[in-house]
Amino acid sequence: MSSSFGKMLTVTIFGQSHGEAIGAVLDGLPAGIRLDFDAIARFMARRAPGGALSTARKEADQPQVLSGLCDGITCGAPLAVMIQNGDHRSHDYDKLRDLPRPMHADYPAAIKYHGCNDIRGGGQFSGRLTAPLCFAGAVAGQLLAQKGITVGAHIAAIHGVEDEPFDPVGIDAETLRRVTAQAFPTLSVQAGERMQREIEAARQSLDSVGGIVECAAVGLPAGIGEPLYESLESRISSLLFSIPAVKGVEFGAGFAAAVMTGSEHNDPFTVQNGVVRTATNRHGGILGGISTGMPVLFRAAFKPTPSIARPQQTVSLSQGCEEPLQIEGRHDPCVVLRAVPCVEAAASLALLDLMLESKGRDQWN
Amino acid sequence: MSSSFGKMLTVTIFGQSHGEAIGAVLDGLPAGIRLDFDAIARFMARRAPGGALSTARKEADQPQVLSGLCDGITCGAPLAVMIQNGDHRSHDYDKLRDLPRPMHADYPAAIKYHGCNDIRGGGQFSGRLTAPLCFAGAVAGQLLAQKGITVGAHIAAIHGVEDEPFDPVGIDAETLRRVTAQAFPTLSVQAGERMQREIEAARQSLDSVGGIVECAAVGLPAGIGEPLYESLESRISSLLFSIPAVKGVEFGAGFAAAVMTGSEHNDPFTVQNGVVRTATNRHGGILGGISTGMPVLFRAAFKPTPSIARPQQTVSLSQGCEEPLQIEGRHDPCVVLRAVPCVEAAASLALLDLMLESKGRDQWN
Amino acid sequence: MSSSFGKMLTVTIFGQSHGEAIGAVLDGLPAGIRLDFDAIARFMARRAPGGALSTARKEADQPQVLSGLCDGITCGAPLAVMIQNGDHRSHDYDKLRDLPRPMHADYPAAIKYHGCNDIRGGGQFSGRLTAPLCFAGAVAGQLLAQKGITVGAHIAAIHGVEDEPFDPVGIDAETLRRVTAQAFPTLSVQAGERMQREIEAARQSLDSVGGIVECAAVGLPAGIGEPLYESLESRISSLLFSIPAVKGVEFGAGFAAAVMTGSEHNDPFTVQNGVVRTATNRHGGILGGISTGMPVLFRAAFKPTPSIARPQQTVSLSQGCEEPLQIEGRHDPCVVLRAVPCVEAAASLALLDLMLESKGRDQWN
Amino acid sequence: MSSSFGKMLTVTIFGQSHGEAIGAVLDGLPAGIRLDFDAIARFMARRAPGGALSTARKEADQPQVLSGLCDGITCGAPLAVMIQNGDHRSHDYDKLRDLPRPMHADYPAAIKYHGCNDIRGGGQFSGRLTAPLCFAGAVAGQLLAQKGITVGAHIAAIHGVEDEPFDPVGIDAETLRRVTAQAFPTLSVQAGERMQREIEAARQSLDSVGGIVECAAVGLPAGIGEPLYESLESRISSLLFSIPAVKGVEFGAGFAAAVMTGSEHNDPFTVQNGVVRTATNRHGGILGGISTGMPVLFRAAFKPTPSIARPQQTVSLSQGCEEPLQIEGRHDPCVVLRAVPCVEAAASLALLDLMLESKGRDQWN
């Protein structure tokens, strides 16, 4: 089992890449909220394939609402959406049941499910399952916006080419909105162009590249999140590691903190206009699992797309011997661009769930 | 809420650093298992303060079993343990209610709990709460050992001084047992000595240092873990980020994957003695959230101990102005040594929980 | 939130009576199971409206599988099904937003959801939501059947007219199959005919009647279920009270136990063909929350259909005054006939979930 | 697994009757609440053995708080309590491992736990485990009281001798407080005396008797509870069936609704002082799983104490043959008196948990 997360707002995601449909059920949305479906479509379009740098597979990805609305307003029933699948070229995948693709889930899934897993297009392991995640994240983002919270991410690096980082202290909603509105979301236009050249070069050489997404949430009040096992970091990382290709997650200074001394790393408290803040933000907006009121900042590392056109070595599960493998079909040489809204969606869902929990308990009196 | 995790084996942890007691309730252990309490004590001793490099605070940390055993064997009832607190010097912390310590949970906890949180010794945010986590992890480790699974970790780095990494393909149970039996668990004795000098230097300069723990699990069969939201990475990272001071988590190649191409990163499949393996192990033993049968490998970054003896700047919550702060009391200049068994405990608990789930469902037929 | 249940097998149900579609997501089914969709359709047909004694509303109720199968076999992905809605006469319900129907959820839902709940056809509170429950229950029943477990129910009473009870000790799978195959499932044909006359009389007098369903599960091995909060009774009752109109649940002797002495109530143990059994079965197959190997037996009481054609008194929420109400539309004069498979579905799902859990943990060694 | 319940407020209960200690961990209490421990002690005393009509076993049952408080006020950490066990006469139970007691959990527990379960005093199945439940319920009751909600119960029947029922419409907090303050909580003094004679007669004849507890909650606002699987009835019944000896649960008219017509059963809406109410309360204060603002009313049936001094028939598990059994030790001839606060505790915990959830979500805007 695997397909649900969240406590006050539980999201269940279903589907296989080449099945009838994929979708999501959002259970626990407050009633009485008018959703902006144009904004949801714009958010999902950021994840959809299409640009010159992405896969040629066309997906309509039009979410069809099955329940949860009445006259366009949330009504207390679970919000269920379905996205029809189509445009299958399933024959591309036929041989893969015997020849697991390196760095894909094919082999462990074959063991786990006794060879009954859906191998077409990656089945339930496909990156396509992030479409309903983005739908859910877009909805969560609209509720967060009601409370003055903005979540946004940019491409921090592609194959070693780095963008400027977010200003950990000064990052604001306007900057987040501006960068996420770009077709290629980087703070530095030049860095973005260099990254796109890296991706194109990978495509030309029948290879792929990885990268890093940096995400920020601003406007989150202090006091959200729970200590220990429902910490903001636990919840956000748990969702991030559910996105295919994520290999690492770090908050604030992250791995760099490991080479610092305490006197270098500690953020001094300060007061600005009567509000407690920190002068620097190496803590990433979270202490003890709870938001501090500073921008929440984290980064997720994505591996290079495993499906590359170059010949690779695998094994024949039926023959028990090594076999060469040539992967066909259309594949992104880099998933990072399309992963940006997925990272935002994961953060938005974790934040909203913990805000609902905090509202219920911390505001009891 | 925050204190429970796990589905088939649910662990609930309670306590404050200077309260009556801390403890854990393990609900869902199979019945009929004789626990080795000497081994549990040895495991917990690795986390306990005491060595020259750790805090001077003495803790007996003797876990007292309240329920769950009958004649020393698990009986189906929840296994509840309590560790008495003692040796308090709570007056050290009195002023901290007004002056939150930089990089500690004091400030967000004060907001969240309306100033009612227990400030003494960090309250429920104290690293002391990892003692019951280690108890639980030691128990889980004994069940895993029944199935031929060994979990072990070493200090991969302190303040930039690096140990040799685990051999991603060849790491074995014997190596894990040997390194974890050391007082200072590094593969390279020389690296360990340099690390200890770093820690001592930090102490001398009234400062602290961070570092990295690398953990491996060997013997785990392929097919454990669930896709998406109960992926091995989701579960393990969720627990790791519940350990105080963890700022980053990466699996396999981790953040380094972000600078690789697919052809560099992909692990070719191979067959050894009839068993499917990968020739390299940049995937870290997990694909699609599911174990592949290769060693599970991950790293966790720890920040420098936030409590340093140097003067720092904070704010007076009552006065709304900046104030200097001199932290007193005894503090580790580096938490990484004591964190090693905590990381193993988190991994063991995540693995056992997912194994119980897999056994129930994947072996239905 | 409300729409999910189960731990190893989590079922999420969505939809509103007059929305686009209703459906269910079953997450946690073992892979590799070929489902018999004809049998599922037959099971669901028992719940569907249609007979002379039921509502005239026609529902196709054809479940459309969106995901979870590959070549007709469960593949490890969540099994998602959708049932299109159609045949709406929503204008029947327009005035009900202001005039809550007595004994329906209209009034508390209006308060809870700030008037935004879907009032058409009862919205998410409609008995129509038991269609996906029956789908899920039919699937669960097929897995139970693999293990030799049969669940079946009959109408024990309608408006005081009683059927013969199941033989608590001797009830067998053959009897359960026979009675559930009947259009009107009673053990006594005569009792069934009298009950149908009661229902018809209620219809003639523009009224409705309640009744009782008795359910049995045979073939369940001893040792299934967990003490205390995951007891068989807790799980089954929790699901039963989710079925609209259920007002009471009792196991074994149930309320009758309250008027017995211990010497009258206690079931003596006995040995038959080397198997431990009880000579009588007032305990209903469950002791301490765990199955004993005897037939599991319970009863659920259903209230009379609240929608009756007679004039009733309600209040105008907008005017704050009492108003007469005449309910129009088509309504069953008795829900008990269609509730029989719902009760079986609830029992099957609870049993399967706890069996998966027991398999994972109790068979560890 | 079995020992936890609740979503926003999770209660974990641990212990065996004759182990070191029993206890509870309450995770999710709002911070900043001063608990009245005298009131908790009074509540728990109602469950404690002691009176002439109860078992002679003396329990101090003094709950010792291990964590969760700071200066007597909830601090955001889990509230953990321990109750030491003592006064064991464990030798009474030695032979029971081979000879399961009729109507106890001994036999299914032996199967489930492979004979490793703690047989002494019933182990984890003992009614003694309701002591921490009552502690938790007393705490929950104090939070409910802050919001004007009162929960109280009385003995509705013992062995067929019936008390007056609560007035379903007019029951008020004052009546609940008065009846629960009585040593033998019945509305009619005469009925109470007759009940006590029934219990005494059962004792004299080495037998036992069952009975019914009726419980009410007043002051609960409309809109609490969730449709379907987190309905008020689902949550309350799930907890009630976790109390040993409960065999049936009914809400409002309950099983009596099954013999009514809709026109007899439906409660007309009315307006009193501008508030929507129902003129009668056969619905028991809940419609569609959600509170209506009318008193919540339900009844729980308790079986006769299974441990009776008369000779009974059981089987020898080792010999596979029938054996006579003479149960020794001290046992209540009727558990109903001590069950009254347990029923209130279950209701209070279910209500508080759903109120916290409702506050978080339904009051989002």
Side-chain angles (χ1 to χ4, degrees):
Chain A
M1 207 180 78
S2 61
S3 304
S4 293
F5 58 88
K7 188 161 80 168
M8 285 288 283
L9 173 63
T10 301
V11 179
T12 300
I13 287 179
F14 63 84
Q16 297 129 249
S17 183
H18 290 198
E20 273 300 304
I22 59 176
V25 183
L26 285 72
D27 193 14
L29 286 176
I33 293 172
R34 182 174 295 283
L35 296 178
D36 178 345
F37 277 89
D38 289 339
I40 293 173
R42 284 194 301 274
F43 188 85
M44 294 184 72
R46 295 171 56 203
R47 191 215 67 88
L53 295 164
S54 288
T55 165
R57 176 176 173 184
K58 289 199 189 68
E59 306 176 50
D61 274 3
Q62 275 294 67
Q64 182 184 351
V65 174
L66 302 179
S67 71
L69 298 180
C70 194
D71 300 329
I73 293 173
T74 57
C75 69
L79 180 64
V81 292
M82 175 181 73
I83 302 170
Q84 294 274 2
N85 285 326
D87 184 21
H88 299 162
R89 298 212 333 228
S90 298
H91 57 282
D92 287 356
Y93 298 93
D94 283 353
K95 67 181 174 187
L96 299 181
R97 191 169 297 284
D98 188 46
L99 300 175
R101 295 167 297 173
M103 237 53 170
H104 275 281
D106 301 350
Y107 171 67
I111 300 295
K112 183 175 190 67
Y113 300 124
H114 319 296
C116 297
N117 55 304
D118 187 354
I119 198 72
R120 301 168 299 154
Q124 65 169 313
F125 299 91
S126 167
R128 182 157 167 70
L129 272 293
T130 57
L133 177 70
C134 283
F135 175 88
V139 170
Q142 294 188 14
L143 274 79
L144 293 175
Q146 290 184 331
K147 304 296 181 186
I149 300 164
T150 305
V151 175
H154 71 119
I155 302 179
I158 296 282
H159 196 216
V161 177
E162 297 191 0
D163 191 19
E164 299 163 15
F166 283 143
D167 173 353
V169 172
I171 177 69
D172 58 15
E174 175 52 30
T175 304
L176 294 177
R177 275 191 289 268
R178 194 175 55 237
V179 72
T180 57
Q182 297 171 206
F184 199 89
T186 52
L187 296 176
S188 155
V189 174
Q190 293 77 6
E193 288 168 354
R194 285 201 304 279
M195 290 176 187
Q196 293 179 64
R197 286 196 294 271
E198 287 290 327
I199 296 171
E200 189 52 34
R203 181 197 307 278
Q204 297 291 343
S205 54
L206 308 182
D207 212 335
S208 63
V209 284
I212 295 173
V213 174
E214 184 187 38
C215 184
V218 300
L220 187 70
I224 304 300
E226 305 287 326
L228 293 179
Y229 306 103
E230 292 180 14
S231 72
L232 276 174
E233 298 105 319
S234 288
R235 287 287 188 92
I236 291 173
S237 70
S238 177
L239 289 186
L240 289 174
F241 278 117
S242 303
I243 300 172
V246 171
K247 297 300 288 182
V249 171
E250 59 182 0
F251 292 84
F255 275 86
V259 296
M260 290 182 183
T261 64
S263 59
E264 292 164 348
H265 183 255
N266 283 5
D267 297 315
F269 280 110
T270 183
V271 177
Q272 287 181 4
N273 304 323
V275 177
V276 174
R277 294 174 56 85
T278 54
T280 49
N281 186 14
R282 286 177 285 264
H283 71 285
I286 308 170
L287 288 173
I290 305 173
S291 62
T292 63
M294 293 296 291
V296 170
L297 284 164
F298 63 88
R299 291 157 39 103
F302 288 80
K303 70 181 181 186
T305 312
S307 286
I308 55 176
R310 295 188 184 189
Q312 297 184 82
Q313 177 184 301
T314 186
V315 295
S316 161
L317 297 180
S318 61
Q319 305 295 321
C321 62
E322 296 165 8
E323 287 279 347
L325 178 71
Q326 180 79 38
I327 293 181
E328 291 160 19
R330 302 144 296 171
H331 302 283
D332 277 336
C334 181
V335 301
V336 179
L337 173 59
R338 294 174 60 192
V340 173
C342 303
V343 169
E344 296 171 11
S348 295
L349 287 162
L351 292 181
L352 177 58
D353 190 28
L354 286 164
M355 283 189 71
L356 289 165
E357 181 165 349
S358 176
K359 186 170 182 58
R361 187 184 301 111
D362 301 337
Q363 299 178 23
W364 173 261
N365 281 314
Chain B
M1 209 180 75
S2 61
S3 304
S4 293
F5 58 89
K7 188 161 81 168
M8 286 288 283
L9 172 63
T10 301
V11 179
T12 301
I13 287 179
F14 62 84
Q16 297 129 249
S17 184
H18 289 199
E20 273 300 302
I22 59 176
V25 183
L26 285 72
D27 193 15
L29 286 176
I33 293 171
R34 181 173 296 282
L35 296 177
D36 178 345
F37 277 89
D38 289 339
I40 293 173
R42 284 194 302 274
F43 187 85
M44 294 183 71
R46 295 171 56 203
R47 192 215 66 91
L53 295 164
S54 289
T55 165
R57 177 176 173 186
K58 289 198 191 69
E59 306 175 49
D61 274 1
Q62 277 293 68
Q64 182 184 352
V65 174
L66 302 179
S67 71
L69 298 179
C70 195
D71 299 330
I73 294 173
T74 57
C75 69
L79 180 64
V81 291
M82 175 181 73
I83 302 169
Q84 293 274 1
N85 285 326
D87 184 20
H88 299 163
R89 298 210 336 223
S90 298
H91 57 282
D92 288 356
Y93 298 93
D94 283 351
K95 67 180 174 186
L96 299 181
R97 191 169 296 285
D98 188 47
L99 300 176
R101 294 168 297 172
M103 237 55 170
H104 275 280
D106 301 350
Y107 171 68
I111 298 296
K112 183 176 189 66
Y113 300 125
H114 319 295
C116 297
N117 57 303
D118 187 354
I119 199 72
R120 301 168 300 154
Q124 65 170 314
F125 299 90
S126 168
R128 183 159 166 68
L129 271 292
T130 56
L133 177 71
C134 283
F135 175 88
V139 170
Q142 294 188 13
L143 274 79
L144 294 176
Q146 290 185 331
K147 305 296 181 186
I149 299 163
T150 306
V151 175
H154 71 119
I155 302 179
I158 296 282
H159 196 217
V161 176
E162 298 191 1
D163 191 19
E164 299 163 15
F166 283 143
D167 173 354
V169 172
I171 177 69
D172 59 14
E174 175 52 31
T175 304
L176 294 178
R177 274 191 290 269
R178 196 175 55 235
V179 72
T180 57
Q182 296 171 204
F184 198 89
T186 52
L187 296 175
S188 156
V189 174
Q190 293 77 6
E193 288 168 354
R194 285 202 304 277
M195 289 177 187
Q196 293 180 62
R197 285 197 293 271
E198 287 290 329
I199 296 171
E200 188 52 33
R203 181 194 307 279
Q204 298 291 342
S205 54
L206 309 182
D207 212 335
S208 64
V209 286
I212 294 172
V213 173
E214 184 187 37
C215 184
V218 301
L220 187 70
I224 305 299
E226 305 287 327
L228 293 179
Y229 307 102
E230 293 180 13
S231 72
L232 276 175
E233 298 105 319
S234 288
R235 287 286 189 93
I236 292 173
S237 70
S238 177
L239 288 186
L240 289 174
F241 278 117
S242 304
I243 300 173
V246 170
K247 298 300 289 183
V249 171
E250 58 181 2
F251 292 84
F255 276 86
V259 296
M260 291 183 182
T261 63
S263 57
E264 292 164 349
H265 183 255
N266 283 5
D267 297 315
F269 280 111
T270 183
V271 177
Q272 287 181 6
N273 303 321
V275 177
V276 174
R277 293 174 56 85
T278 55
T280 49
N281 186 13
R282 285 177 285 265
H283 72 285
I286 307 169
L287 288 172
I290 306 172
S291 62
T292 63
M294 293 297 291
V296 170
L297 284 164
F298 64 87
R299 290 156 39 103
F302 288 80
K303 70 181 182 186
T305 313
S307 287
I308 55 176
R310 295 188 183 187
Q312 299 184 81
Q313 176 184 303
T314 187
V315 293
S316 162
L317 297 179
S318 61
Q319 306 294 322
C321 63
E322 296 167 7
E323 286 279 344
L325 178 71
Q326 180 78 38
I327 293 181
E328 291 161 20
R330 303 144 297 172
H331 301 282
D332 277 337
C334 181
V335 300
V336 178
L337 172 59
R338 294 174 61 192
V340 173
C342 303
V343 169
E344 296 171 9
S348 296
L349 287 162
L351 292 180
L352 178 57
D353 190 29
L354 286 163
M355 284 190 70
L356 289 164
E357 181 166 349
S358 175
K359 187 171 181 57
R361 186 183 302 112
D362 301 337
Q363 299 179 23
W364 172 260
N365 282 312
Chain C
M1 209 180 75
S2 61
S3 304
S4 294
F5 58 88
K7 188 161 81 169
M8 286 288 282
L9 172 63
T10 302
V11 179
T12 301
I13 287 179
F14 61 85
Q16 297 130 248
S17 183
H18 289 198
E20 272 300 302
I22 58 177
V25 183
L26 285 72
D27 194 14
L29 285 176
I33 293 172
R34 182 174 295 282
L35 296 178
D36 179 345
F37 278 88
D38 289 339
I40 292 173
R42 285 194 300 274
F43 188 84
M44 294 184 72
R46 294 171 57 203
R47 191 215 68 90
L53 294 165
S54 289
T55 164
R57 177 175 172 186
K58 287 198 191 70
E59 307 176 49
D61 274 1
Q62 276 294 68
Q64 181 184 353
V65 174
L66 303 179
S67 72
L69 298 180
C70 195
D71 299 330
I73 293 173
T74 58
C75 69
L79 180 64
V81 291
M82 176 181 73
I83 302 170
Q84 294 275 1
N85 284 326
D87 184 19
H88 299 163
R89 300 214 331 227
S90 298
H91 57 282
D92 288 356
Y93 298 93
D94 283 351
K95 68 180 173 186
L96 299 181
R97 193 168 295 285
D98 188 47
L99 300 177
R101 294 168 297 173
M103 237 54 170
H104 275 281
D106 302 349
Y107 171 67
I111 298 295
K112 182 176 191 66
Y113 300 124
H114 319 296
C116 297
N117 56 304
D118 187 354
I119 199 73
R120 300 168 299 154
Q124 65 169 313
F125 298 91
S126 166
R128 182 156 166 72
L129 271 293
T130 56
L133 177 70
C134 283
F135 175 88
V139 170
Q142 295 188 14
L143 274 81
L144 294 176
Q146 290 184 331
K147 305 295 180 185
I149 300 163
T150 305
V151 175
H154 70 120
I155 301 179
I158 296 281
H159 196 217
V161 176
E162 299 190 1
D163 191 20
E164 299 164 15
F166 283 144
D167 173 353
V169 171
I171 177 69
D172 59 14
E174 176 52 30
T175 305
L176 293 178
R177 275 191 290 269
R178 195 175 55 237
V179 72
T180 58
Q182 296 171 204
F184 198 89
T186 52
L187 296 176
S188 156
V189 174
Q190 293 76 8
E193 288 168 353
R194 284 202 305 277
M195 290 176 187
Q196 294 180 62
R197 285 195 294 270
E198 286 290 328
I199 297 171
E200 188 51 35
R203 180 196 307 279
Q204 298 292 343
S205 54
L206 309 182
D207 212 333
S208 64
V209 285
I212 294 172
V213 173
E214 184 187 37
C215 184
V218 300
L220 187 70
I224 305 299
E226 305 287 327
L228 293 178
Y229 306 102
E230 293 181 13
S231 71
L232 277 175
E233 297 104 320
S234 288
R235 286 287 189 91
I236 292 173
S237 70
S238 177
L239 289 186
L240 289 174
F241 278 116
S242 303
I243 300 172
V246 170
K247 298 299 289 182
V249 171
E250 60 182 359
F251 292 84
F255 276 86
V259 295
M260 292 183 182
T261 64
S263 58
E264 291 163 349
H265 183 255
N266 284 4
D267 296 314
F269 280 111
T270 182
V271 177
Q272 288 181 5
N273 303 321
V275 177
V276 174
R277 294 175 55 86
T278 54
T280 49
N281 186 13
R282 285 176 287 263
H283 72 286
I286 308 170
L287 287 173
I290 306 173
S291 62
T292 63
M294 293 296 292
V296 170
L297 284 164
F298 64 88
R299 290 157 37 106
F302 288 80
K303 70 182 181 186
T305 312
S307 286
I308 54 175
R310 295 188 184 189
Q312 298 184 82
Q313 176 184 302
T314 186
V315 294
S316 162
L317 297 180
S318 61
Q319 306 295 322
C321 62
E322 296 167 6
E323 287 279 345
L325 178 71
Q326 179 79 37
I327 293 181
E328 291 160 19
R330 302 145 297 173
H331 302 283
D332 277 336
C334 182
V335 300
V336 179
L337 172 59
R338 294 174 59 192
V340 173
C342 303
V343 169
E344 296 171 10
S348 295
L349 287 161
L351 292 180
L352 178 58
D353 190 29
L354 286 164
M355 284 189 71
L356 288 164
E357 181 166 350
S358 176
K359 186 169 181 59
R361 187 184 301 113
D362 300 338
Q363 300 179 22
W364 173 259
N365 282 313
Chain D
M1 208 181 78
S2 61
S3 304
S4 294
F5 58 88
K7 188 161 81 168
M8 286 288 283
L9 173 63
T10 301
V11 179
T12 301
I13 287 179
F14 62 84
Q16 298 130 247
S17 183
H18 289 199
E20 273 299 303
I22 59 176
V25 183
L26 285 72
D27 193 14
L29 285 176
I33 293 172
R34 182 174 295 282
L35 295 178
D36 178 344
F37 278 87
D38 289 339
I40 293 173
R42 285 193 301 274
F43 187 84
M44 294 184 73
R46 295 170 55 202
R47 190 215 68 90
L53 296 164
S54 289
T55 164
R57 177 176 172 184
K58 287 199 189 69
E59 306 175 50
D61 274 2
Q62 276 294 66
Q64 181 184 352
V65 174
L66 302 178
S67 71
L69 298 180
C70 195
D71 299 329
I73 293 173
T74 58
C75 69
L79 180 64
V81 292
M82 175 181 72
I83 302 170
Q84 295 274 0
N85 284 326
D87 184 21
H88 300 162
R89 298 213 333 227
S90 298
H91 57 282
D92 288 354
Y93 298 93
D94 283 352
K95 67 180 174 186
L96 299 182
R97 192 168 296 283
D98 188 46
L99 300 176
R101 295 167 296 173
M103 236 55 169
H104 275 281
D106 301 351
Y107 171 68
I111 299 295
K112 182 176 190 67
Y113 300 125
H114 319 295
C116 296
N117 56 305
D118 188 352
I119 198 72
R120 301 168 299 155
Q124 64 169 313
F125 299 90
S126 167
R128 181 158 167 70
L129 271 293
T130 56
L133 177 71
C134 283
F135 175 88
V139 170
Q142 294 188 14
L143 273 80
L144 293 176
Q146 290 184 330
K147 305 295 181 187
I149 300 163
T150 305
V151 175
H154 71 119
I155 301 179
I158 295 281
H159 196 216
V161 176
E162 299 189 1
D163 191 19
E164 299 163 16
F166 283 144
D167 173 353
V169 171
I171 177 70
D172 58 15
E174 175 52 31
T175 304
L176 294 177
R177 274 191 289 270
R178 194 175 55 236
V179 71
T180 58
Q182 296 171 206
F184 199 89
T186 52
L187 296 175
S188 155
V189 175
Q190 293 77 6
E193 288 169 354
R194 284 202 305 277
M195 290 176 186
Q196 293 180 64
R197 286 196 294 271
E198 287 291 328
I199 297 171
E200 189 52 34
R203 181 196 306 279
Q204 297 293 342
S205 54
L206 308 183
D207 211 335
S208 64
V209 285
I212 294 172
V213 173
E214 184 186 36
C215 184
V218 300
L220 187 69
I224 305 300
E226 306 286 327
L228 294 179
Y229 306 103
E230 292 181 13
S231 72
L232 276 175
E233 296 105 319
S234 288
R235 286 287 189 91
I236 292 173
S237 70
S238 177
L239 290 185
L240 289 174
F241 278 117
S242 303
I243 300 173
V246 170
K247 297 299 288 182
V249 172
E250 59 182 0
F251 292 84
F255 276 86
V259 295
M260 291 183 182
T261 64
S263 58
E264 291 163 348
H265 183 255
N266 283 4
D267 296 315
F269 280 111
T270 181
V271 177
Q272 288 182 3
N273 304 321
V275 177
V276 174
R277 293 174 56 85
T278 54
T280 48
N281 186 12
R282 285 177 285 265
H283 72 286
I286 308 170
L287 288 172
I290 306 173
S291 62
T292 63
M294 293 296 291
V296 170
L297 284 165
F298 64 87
R299 291 156 38 105
F302 288 80
K303 70 182 180 185
T305 313
S307 287
I308 55 176
R310 295 188 184 189
Q312 298 184 81
Q313 177 184 302
T314 185
V315 294
S316 162
L317 297 179
S318 62
Q319 305 296 321
C321 63
E322 296 166 8
E323 286 279 346
L325 178 70
Q326 179 79 38
I327 293 181
E328 290 160 20
R330 303 145 295 172
H331 301 283
D332 277 336
C334 181
V335 300
V336 179
L337 171 60
R338 294 175 60 192
V340 173
C342 303
V343 169
E344 296 171 11
S348 295
L349 287 162
L351 292 181
L352 178 58
D353 190 28
L354 286 164
M355 283 190 71
L356 289 165
E357 182 166 349
S358 176
K359 186 171 182 56
R361 187 183 302 113
D362 301 337
Q363 300 178 22
W364 172 260
N365 282 315

